[in-house]
Amino acid sequence: MNIFSGHIRSSDTSVPMIDPFGRMVSYLRVSVTDRCDFRCTYCMSEHMTFLPKKELLTLEELERLCSAFIDKGVRKIRLTGGEPLVRHNIMYLVRALGRKVRHGELDELTLTTNGSQLARYAAELADNGVRRINVSIDTLDPTKFRKITRIGDLSKVLAGVDAAQKAGIHIKINAVALKDFNEDEIPEIMRWAHGRGMDLTVIETMPMGEIEEDRTDRYLPLSELRASLETQFTLRDNNYRTGGPSRYVTVKETGGRLGFITPLTHNFCESCNRVRLTCTGTLYMCLGQNDAAEFRDLMRSTDDDTVIARAIDEAITRKPKGHDFIIDRDHNRPAVARHMSMTGG
Ligand code: SAM
Ligand code: SF4
């Protein structure tokens, strides 16, 4: 059956989103701001130019678009950025989406954060239905932490982790695996995370946006990292899934879970269930492709949500089969020009 046929289009607002490759889209990542209080060297350049505020969707507009996606079958929303917790009054959106969780319209509301503001917001996040979050920590050495983030204060992030755990929020730690930076530290980060009941996911660097460094110098294939970990630990493949692209193993010695996000060494596209919305209302159907659909002007031109639903349907017909990320000496340019902080990790 062709779900885009005229017969079914009459109820656009509630027709589920199934892409041309039969994948159902049920996961929306929303980058609520391109701004951040850190400048991680692999993510941003030191002197980033951020978007003028008037180009951003208001929080009310973000709420309206999220609701349109929920009506069309999205069950999980992740707020990201930039740093989601630096967006002014972000708790307005968290409260609005938290109500959707409470009413059973959304299974999960979560966020990915650098943790800098977590001590301040953890209790309120928990009160509004946030049960799990990802916190990005690439090193547990305060000096190295300052170096990689250019600004960050590790002690504040660790205080945020404490506050979130105290509020009952489950944490997964994300660490980007960087050659000659943290590759030898991953076992320590893993022992620390697992010792506190947190999963750890390691991520390969992705070629997104111009930065000062040469990414090939920092690129560490996770197949290499895994082989090195296997000399010290027993890693058992595990079927655990969070709806994201991580593939997990259980580490026998720690009893904890270790995830690998390997966009470059292992293509994770075949099971992709997600689309990404930027803070300006641009919908990317794939993290690694440039094709996009624009919602800001459309939304501002009408109060009719069926128009939005139809535009969502049209965008989903353009979801590509997969990304074209490559990092090697012959392709030493970003695969996509936008930074990860635009589309969200
Ligand atoms: N500021 C938040 C944070 O750092 O968690 C959320 C946004 S950040 C863009 C989301 C994730 O993307 C982080 O875990 C970050 O380490 C990762 N990231 C950023 N740039 C990346 C890149 N070029 N390749 C791989 N991961 C990247
Ligand atoms: Fe900010 Fe996150 Fe990018 Fe670091 S990775 S600069 S914390 S958006």
Side-chain angles (χ1 to χ4, degrees):
M1 182 175 63
N2 176 5
I3 65 147
F4 302 111
S5 70
H7 173 64
I8 293 182
R9 284 202 82 96
S10 57
S11 57
D12 288 292
T13 53
S14 57
V15 174
M17 297 175 284
I18 300 177
D19 79 3
F21 304 95
R23 297 168 299 190
M24 186 175 297
V25 176
S26 57
Y27 183 1
L28 177 68
R29 292 191 171 216
V30 185
S31 176
V32 296
T33 175
D34 63 326
R35 288 166 196 255
C36 186
D37 50 352
F38 292 179
R39 297 284 183 281
C40 301
T41 55
Y42 52 80
C43 177
M44 291 192 180
S45 65
E46 187 161 12
H47 305 287
M48 287 288 285
T49 310
F50 294 113
L51 292 165
K53 291 220 169 81
K54 64 176 180 353
E55 288 195 18
L56 265 54
L57 295 188
T58 64
L59 292 168
E60 289 81 0
E61 287 171 331
L62 279 170
E63 180 189 355
R64 180 178 172 207
L65 253 187
C66 286
S67 297
F69 276 94
I70 291 170
D71 287 346
K72 292 204 59 67
V74 158
R75 301 298 307 176
K76 171 171 174 176
I77 291 185
R78 177 177 298 278
L79 305 182
T80 177
E83 174 46 41
L85 295 181
V86 303
R87 171 92 195 233
H88 180 63
N89 203 18
I90 184 63
M91 284 301 150
Y92 168 87
L93 186 62
V94 171
R95 282 193 292 273
L97 296 175
R99 281 193 290 276
K100 303 269 184 195
V101 175
R102 209 171 321 124
H103 298 154
E105 294 164 62
L106 194 61
D107 293 334
E108 183 165 28
L109 171 63
T110 182
L111 71 156
T112 300
T113 173
N114 66 21
S116 66
Q117 312 296 316
L118 204 48
R120 180 171 156 210
Y121 287 121
E124 207 178 340
L125 288 169
D127 286 348
N128 286 287
V130 175
R131 301 276 162 263
R132 299 191 305 155
I133 59 174
N134 292 352
V135 181
S136 305
I137 299 180
D138 302 322
T139 173
L140 291 171
D141 175 323
T143 310
K144 281 169 71 182
F145 190 82
R146 171 60 59 92
K147 194 168 161 217
I148 199 77
T149 60
R150 293 196 181 100
I151 307 173
D153 177 348
L154 180 65
S155 67
K156 284 199 181 133
V157 173
L158 296 180
V161 168
D162 289 342
Q165 287 198 309
K166 196 163 155 231
I169 298 176
H170 291 281
I171 298 181
K172 177 165 79 73
I173 301 294
N174 279 346
V176 176
L178 298 161
K179 197 158 120 198
D180 300 328
F181 177 76
N182 63 3
E183 56 184 309
D184 296 336
E185 211 191 322
I186 299 293
E188 185 194 337
I189 299 173
M190 185 172 80
R191 283 196 193 90
W192 169 78
H194 289 178
R196 298 185 53 139
M198 306 185 290
D199 291 345
L200 170 69
T201 292
V202 282
I203 310 173
E204 270 173 359
T205 48
M206 298 176 221
M208 299 188 66
E210 295 285 354
I211 55 170
E212 281 85 357
E213 294 186 356
D214 177 348
R215 279 202 174 87
T216 51
D217 292 343
R218 288 277 179 229
Y219 173 57
L220 175 64
L222 293 191
S223 46
E224 263 180 41
L225 177 69
R226 181 171 175 152
S228 141
L229 287 171
E230 280 177 328
T231 63
Q232 301 174 56
F233 299 96
T234 318
L235 309 183
R236 295 204 175 114
D237 284 327
N238 170 322
N239 285 331
Y240 177 72
R241 292 279 184 280
T242 57
S246 269
R247 294 292 168 265
Y248 284 91
V249 297
T250 304
V251 182
K252 186 178 158 221
E253 289 75 5
T254 61
R257 266 191 302 250
L258 174 65
F260 295 92
I261 298 186
T262 55
L264 298 160
T265 51
H266 175 82
N267 209 306
F268 55 32
C269 304
E270 67 279 1
S271 59
C272 182
N273 60 351
R274 70 207 79 105
V275 289
R276 296 160 192 270
L277 184 67
T278 73
C279 53
T280 57
T282 304
L283 184 76
Y284 286 98
M285 286 69 82
C286 172
L287 179 65
Q289 300 280 3
N290 288 317
D291 189 30
E294 300 296 340
F295 283 86
R296 187 183 55 202
D297 292 348
L298 183 71
M299 265 206 323
R300 289 179 181 172
S301 71
T302 177
D303 290 333
D304 181 355
D305 286 344
T306 60
V307 175
I308 311 289
R310 218 165 282 136
I312 294 174
D313 282 339
E314 191 282 324
I316 299 301
T317 66
R318 288 191 274 136
K319 186 166 165 59
K321 195 166 182 200
H323 66 66
D324 297 320
F325 286 145
I326 306 171
I327 289 191
D328 66 29
R329 299 275 167 201
D330 297 331
H331 298 83
N332 197 11
R333 294 195 48 73
V336 289
R338 63 186 187 277
H339 291 86
M340 182 75 103
S341 48
M342 253 325 276
T343 343

